[in-house]
Amino acid sequence: MNKVGRFGEFGGQYVPETVMNAVHELEAAYDKYKDDPDFKAELTALYRDYANRPSMLYYAKHMTEDLGGAKVYIKREDLNHTGAHKINNVLGQILLAKRMGKKRIIAETGAGQHGVATATVCALMGLECCVYMGEEDTKRQSLNVYRMELLGAKVVPVSSGTCTLKDAINEAMRDWCTNIETTFYCIGSVMGPHPYPEMVRDFQKIVGEEIKAELMEREGRLPDCVVACVGGGSNAMGAFYDFIPDTSVRLVGAEAAGRGINTADTAATLSCGSVGIFHGMKSMFLQDKFGQIAPVYSISAGLDYPGIGPEHANLWKTGRAEYVPVTDEEAVCAFEYLSKTEGIIPAIESAHAVSAAMKIAPTMSKDQIIVINLSGRGDKDVYSVARYRGHNIENS
């Protein structure tokens, strides 16, 4: 990052004046606490005692044998408390919110995992919680809606626009503008105005740090390739960040291509997007020639965002990481493949990374290592995959 809040040309703080004071307040608080020994010790204890870290690095023996190339390891973020990587970031942000004296937490969510994690930590810490979720996503992820409500959160369906993640973020931003004094906005990905992309990355980078330490212990060396799914990009940035200086390690992000990058029904930002400004940041977005944000589509509620975090945009532009499109059909096939091959049901988001790895691993030699960051578990996606495959199954 060549200057505060920037990753190359990307990043920044593109917010209205009504929000700038809150952004500056957050920036000052994060700068104060991010290296504070007491803050770090409390977060480390929560990771260990509450979130179930470190998460397992699992050797996928059957997958390795079946694909016939590199050794396949899977970073099991699905085994964290709440079932995904989201808890890492939420614990950090809400701990910071308490230090700032905020009593009310708001969040946006797509697949519901960030919302569940936020509701969980608010219940743990005795804070009011309100989660904005696109109306379409509340239908696709009704189980997670109930989980959030069970944990004491208020879930607000958003019926504007495409009724998905983009619109949930819009409504959360509006809420924050109105309730800045009492409210902390807990963003779920490495996006938004500075300091969010840096802050969320810092709370997620433990994933890559653990991969490196665990693999050094198991194999005595670094991986040759790390693969993760990318929407906004928090799980991928968490997996990638510690390896960025290690140029021998190939970094691959799997984007949601939906029904294909040659159709309008896609969410593959780096395959199809262009530079723009949205949600407080300069990054890459799916938009028309006038800069109007395009409607996007993916079977995955957690990846159907029309942009990507600014640090990912910079990694892509500089060539340090590569980003590949994965269609709905490829993701569903990978969902089924990992379930049958290793007995692990992945989140449909994570299945995009599994699909990419299934293509890459056979091209590698047997003495090489590929690591898949399995960002979440797939309980929430069983109904939608069953319906996709034409099974008559009720989500009730």
Side-chain angles (χ1 to χ4, degrees):
M1 196 162 61
N2 54 13
K3 57 183 176 179
V4 175
R6 292 283 180 175
F7 307 90
E9 70 175 281
F10 303 108
Q13 294 174 319
Y14 296 88
V15 295
E17 285 300 313
T18 50
V19 180
M20 192 58 84
N21 284 342
V23 168
H24 286 164
E25 179 192 22
L26 176 60
E27 185 179 357
Y30 185 61
D31 286 345
K32 177 181 178 181
Y33 289 111
K34 66 181 178 181
D35 296 318
D36 178 76
D38 291 339
F39 180 87
K40 291 172 74 173
E42 187 172 358
L43 181 59
T44 297
L46 285 166
Y47 280 160
R48 181 190 65 235
D49 301 331
Y50 192 69
N52 197 34
R53 302 208 70 88
S55 65
M56 177 195 301
L57 186 69
Y58 169 77
Y59 172 52
K61 180 175 182 289
H62 301 299
M63 193 172 174
T64 299
E65 292 171 351
D66 183 65
L67 295 176
K71 276 189 174 181
V72 179
Y73 279 89
I74 298 175
K75 181 62 169 166
R76 298 290 307 274
E77 291 296 289
D78 59 309
L79 298 179
N80 295 343
H81 180 42
T82 73
H85 71 291
K86 295 294 188 180
I87 192 77
N88 307 327
N89 166 48
V90 170
L91 282 167
Q93 283 200 61
I94 295 183
L95 203 57
L96 182 62
K98 289 204 74 170
R99 293 286 203 283
M100 294 171 69
K102 304 295 184 181
K103 305 295 184 187
R104 177 174 180 263
I105 308 296
I106 60 171
E108 86 296 329
T109 198
Q113 287 303 116
H114 176 60
V116 168
T118 304
T120 298
V121 180
C122 284
L124 174 69
M125 298 190 180
L127 297 170
E128 181 184 347
C129 181
C130 177
V131 179
Y132 290 91
M133 189 173 189
E135 192 171 52
E136 178 64 26
D137 292 339
T138 63
K139 296 171 185 173
R140 289 195 285 184
Q141 299 292 346
S142 58
L143 174 63
N144 273 345
V145 172
Y146 183 69
R147 289 173 75 195
M148 287 182 268
E149 292 173 340
L150 184 63
L151 290 157
K154 177 184 179 184
V155 180
V156 180
V158 177
S159 57
S160 58
T162 56
C163 308
T164 57
L165 181 57
K166 165 181 72 73
D167 311 291
I169 295 169
N170 290 343
E171 290 304 315
M173 288 271 191
R174 289 191 187 101
D175 184 320
W176 196 29
C177 289
T178 310
N179 301 287
I180 281 169
E181 291 300 317
T182 59
T183 298
F184 184 100
Y185 182 13
C186 184
I187 286 185
S189 197
V190 286
M191 48 149 290
H194 175 71
Y196 282 109
E198 178 185 338
M199 179 173 66
V200 174
R201 177 203 71 201
D202 287 350
F203 291 141
Q204 289 290 359
K205 68 182 182 181
I206 189 170
V207 178
E209 291 169 350
E210 287 181 4
I211 291 172
K212 184 176 281 189
E214 289 165 326
L215 204 55
M216 288 300 291
E217 184 179 338
R218 299 276 287 276
E219 298 279 355
R221 69 180 189 87
L222 297 177
D224 297 281
C225 184
V226 177
V227 185
C229 67
V230 178
S234 63
N235 93 87
M237 191 53 65
F240 291 174
Y241 186 68
D242 210 47
F243 293 103
I244 291 173
D246 302 309
T247 53
S248 65
V249 181
R250 182 181 175 191
L251 305 176
V252 180
E255 295 194 297
R259 296 190 175 98
I261 59 173
N262 297 317
T263 75
D265 296 327
T266 188
T269 302
L270 292 176
S271 299
C272 305
S274 56
V275 177
I277 294 172
F278 188 53
H279 285 155
M281 62 181 173
K282 182 178 182 182
S283 190
M284 297 290 291
F285 299 97
L286 292 163
Q287 56 192 339
D288 65 21
K289 63 181 180 179
F290 304 109
Q292 296 299 305
I293 299 299
V296 294
Y297 164 79
S298 167
I299 191 173
S300 158
L303 299 182
D304 64 352
Y305 180 64
I308 194 167
E311 191 165 9
H312 280 295
N314 189 54
L315 290 176
W316 167 77
K317 185 170 184 180
T318 59
R320 178 61 191 95
E322 57 193 279
Y323 297 82
V324 298
V326 175
T327 65
D328 285 357
E329 177 65 21
E330 289 171 325
V332 169
C333 287
F335 179 95
E336 295 165 335
Y337 177 83
L338 189 64
S339 299
K340 292 180 171 69
T341 306
E342 294 290 347
I344 299 169
I345 302 175
I348 195 65
E349 291 80 14
S350 313
H352 286 72
V354 175
S355 176
M358 287 167 64
K359 298 172 192 172
I360 295 167
T363 70
M364 300 169 67
S365 63
K366 291 183 183 296
D367 62 348
Q368 290 184 301
I369 296 168
I370 186 170
V371 176
I372 304 166
N373 190 37
L374 201 75
S375 57
R377 68 181 186 226
D379 312 49
K380 65 184 180 59
D381 298 308
V382 170
Y383 286 111
S384 59
V385 171
R387 285 194 295 269
Y388 179 88
R389 287 300 192 213
H391 294 284
N392 184 18
I393 187 168
E394 289 297 324
N395 187 0
S396 59

